[in-house]
Amino acid sequence: MKNDEEEMTEACIRAVVESIHSSPTQAVLYLSGGASLALGWLMSVPGASNTVLEAVVPYSRMSLIQLLAKIPAQYCSQQTADELALLAYNRGLKLSSPGSPILGVGFTGSLATTRPKLGDHRFHLSTRTSDRHWASTVTLSKAIANACKVPSTFESKLTESEVADECETFFDEDQELEQLINGKICFKIYPFSSDTSNDDRKIILSGSFNPLHDGHLKLLEVATSICGNGYPCFELSAINADKPPLSISEIKDRVKQFKKVGKTVIISNQPYFYKKAELFPGSAFVIGADTAVRLIDPKYYDGSYDTMLKTLAGCKRTGCTFIMAGRNVDGAFKVLEDFDIPEVLKDMFVSIPAERFRMDISSTQIRKSRGL
């Protein structure tokens, strides 16, 4: 039989969780020991699917090692919680609906399990959003409520000596982009589009967009109509395969182009399609015939036909496809049917008929015409 205090506590927790589920934030939680009850609270209140993208409990040491891809200096530490939160945030970016606020939660705990307790309750909590890192030893439900920007009235009942100081760091846009260039975060979305589609599948046109032009806009529009469903967006890699990375100022200047036309752009740090496929599983990549030439040419895979097949088969396993438009290649207009696509990969490629799209324009030509 629950007493009045227990019932009041449960009611307060439920109210906090309902507020979390009512927020637009989507979360991935990596909780290493001692926090399963809080996960139960999140999952038991209706609306959990609005919030929880994924929850993993690496309970054994080996499970935690495999998740971190290394042996941590300490299994129960603030550093490990911070690393889990960052991993969870990057995972959330890959799983979330485009433009949704993402929260990564990391928790490590060493809680006494016998009474009277034989040791200190030690737990470390970290949350990561696009512009904020927060670390504390407050209760998990309160931390998630804080990160989701909803009120929390739940009291943890910890004594003053048991509560550690909170640590909070905010990131501006330049710092976020620096983290992206350095590989700390995998991509950043600028959701400029008014498209309110909740479709998780993305239709992505990748490029350097130096500059963005009408051909890019029309191509993505036509590809989206052919795909039938999906969230259309552009993707710009800050890292180039054979050039220095873009500077932060260059990235921001190119992003301004998309803001001006109201189109969503993703800034990533992966120049290769097989890596983009890992970042955006299930997506449809819109390419031109000039890109297709390089995509299926073994010389871009150390001269190995087998490596080319293996690499593109990996893209296929992620559920990705390529929507191909005709382009001028070596002085001739080429379409999908002009290419010898390996039989095992043919179902990955979809042709955009020339009568649906043909614009013989390129960013290179535009730069030359401007004397750049």
Side-chain angles (χ1 to χ4, degrees):
M1 190 76 177
K2 296 178 182 178
N3 59 38
D4 291 344
E5 183 178 359
E6 289 174 331
E7 290 183 352
M8 184 175 296
T9 298
E10 288 192 6
C12 289
I13 292 172
R14 185 179 181 87
V16 170
V17 174
E18 287 175 346
S19 296
I20 290 171
H21 292 339
S22 297
S23 80
T25 300
Q26 296 184 305
V28 170
L29 303 95
Y30 290 161
L31 313 175
S32 178
S36 57
L37 181 59
L39 183 57
W41 292 333
L42 281 175
M43 303 299 289
S44 64
V45 176
S49 61
N50 296 332
T51 303
V52 180
L53 293 169
E54 182 175 87
V56 177
V57 182
Y59 208 74
S60 72
R61 289 193 171 194
M62 188 54 66
S63 177
L64 184 60
I65 289 170
Q66 291 197 14
L67 184 59
L68 293 171
K70 67 176 187 179
I71 299 175
Q74 285 185 288
Y75 290 88
C76 179
S77 68
Q78 191 60 58
Q79 179 181 343
T80 300
D82 291 345
E83 291 173 353
L84 287 172
L86 185 59
L87 281 172
Y89 174 72
N90 278 308
R91 178 67 171 162
L93 285 173
K94 298 175 185 179
L95 298 178
S96 64
S97 301
S100 297
I102 305 305
L103 169 65
V105 178
F107 177 93
T108 63
S110 176
L111 307 180
T113 57
T114 61
R115 295 183 181 180
K117 70 177 184 180
L118 302 178
D120 291 336
H121 296 300
R122 293 188 296 116
F123 53 96
H124 304 277
L125 179 67
S126 181
T127 63
R128 172 65 200 249
T129 63
S130 63
D131 61 356
R132 181 178 181 237
H133 168 248
W134 186 71
S136 178
T137 56
V138 298
T139 56
L140 185 61
S141 59
K142 183 174 181 179
I144 296 174
N146 185 298
C148 293
K149 300 178 182 178
V150 299
S152 170
T153 57
F154 173 57
E155 296 298 329
S156 66
K157 304 299 183 183
L158 294 176
T159 67
E160 185 176 345
S161 64
E162 290 176 315
V163 179
D165 292 334
E166 296 179 6
C167 176
E168 187 171 37
T169 305
F170 288 92
F171 311 112
D172 60 23
E173 182 182 6
D174 285 10
Q175 290 171 315
E176 287 182 66
L177 292 174
E178 186 67 37
Q179 291 174 8
L180 184 145
I181 292 170
N182 293 336
K184 192 172 184 179
I185 61 175
C186 58
F187 61 84
K188 176 176 173 59
I189 298 181
Y190 290 87
F192 296 134
S193 174
S194 58
D195 190 326
T196 57
S197 170
N198 289 322
D199 202 310
D200 291 337
R201 185 190 190 209
K202 299 178 182 70
I203 303 169
I204 301 173
L205 175 56
S206 300
S208 60
F209 308 111
N210 185 28
L212 176 69
H213 56 69
D214 288 343
H216 294 134
L217 299 172
K218 182 64 176 178
L219 176 54
L220 185 57
E221 178 186 325
V222 172
T224 301
S225 68
I226 288 175
C227 287
N229 65 319
Y231 185 93
C233 50
F234 296 88
E235 184 260 343
L236 166 67
S237 176
I239 306 299
N240 292 293
D242 51 8
K243 298 178 184 177
L246 295 177
S247 68
I248 291 174
S249 61
E250 286 176 316
I251 295 172
K252 292 170 74 173
D253 283 343
R254 296 191 196 181
V255 166
K256 288 176 184 175
Q257 301 177 105
F258 297 95
K259 184 176 183 180
K260 185 176 180 180
V261 296
K263 300 298 181 183
T264 291
V265 62
I266 300 171
I267 310 300
S268 82
N269 52 20
Q270 296 296 344
Y272 301 108
F273 276 104
Y274 75 95
K275 287 294 187 180
K276 295 181 195 291
E278 293 174 4
L279 278 185
F280 312 112
S283 295
F285 290 99
V286 185
I287 62 173
D290 51 338
T291 299
V293 168
R294 299 189 295 273
L295 197 63
I296 62 173
D297 191 336
K299 83 174 185 180
Y300 292 99
Y301 302 85
D302 296 325
S304 171
Y305 183 83
D306 288 342
T307 300
M308 181 269 290
L309 282 180
K310 182 178 179 181
T311 301
L312 292 181
C315 294
K316 184 176 180 178
R317 284 193 295 272
T318 69
C320 290
T321 57
F322 295 100
I323 314 299
M324 198 189 109
R327 288 291 301 272
N328 283 316
V329 179
D330 297 329
F333 187 77
K334 301 284 188 179
V335 294
L336 177 62
E337 290 71 24
D338 295 317
F339 292 89
D340 185 18
I341 306 293
E343 189 65 34
V344 295
L345 301 176
K346 281 186 176 180
D347 58 349
M348 286 182 69
F349 291 82
V350 177
S351 179
I352 297 179
E355 59 268 21
R356 295 284 304 272
F357 176 83
R358 178 173 179 176
M359 293 183 71
D360 298 329
I361 182 175
S362 73
S363 295
T364 301
Q365 292 172 338
I366 293 174
R367 289 198 304 274
K368 286 182 178 178
S369 69
R370 296 175 180 176
L372 300 174

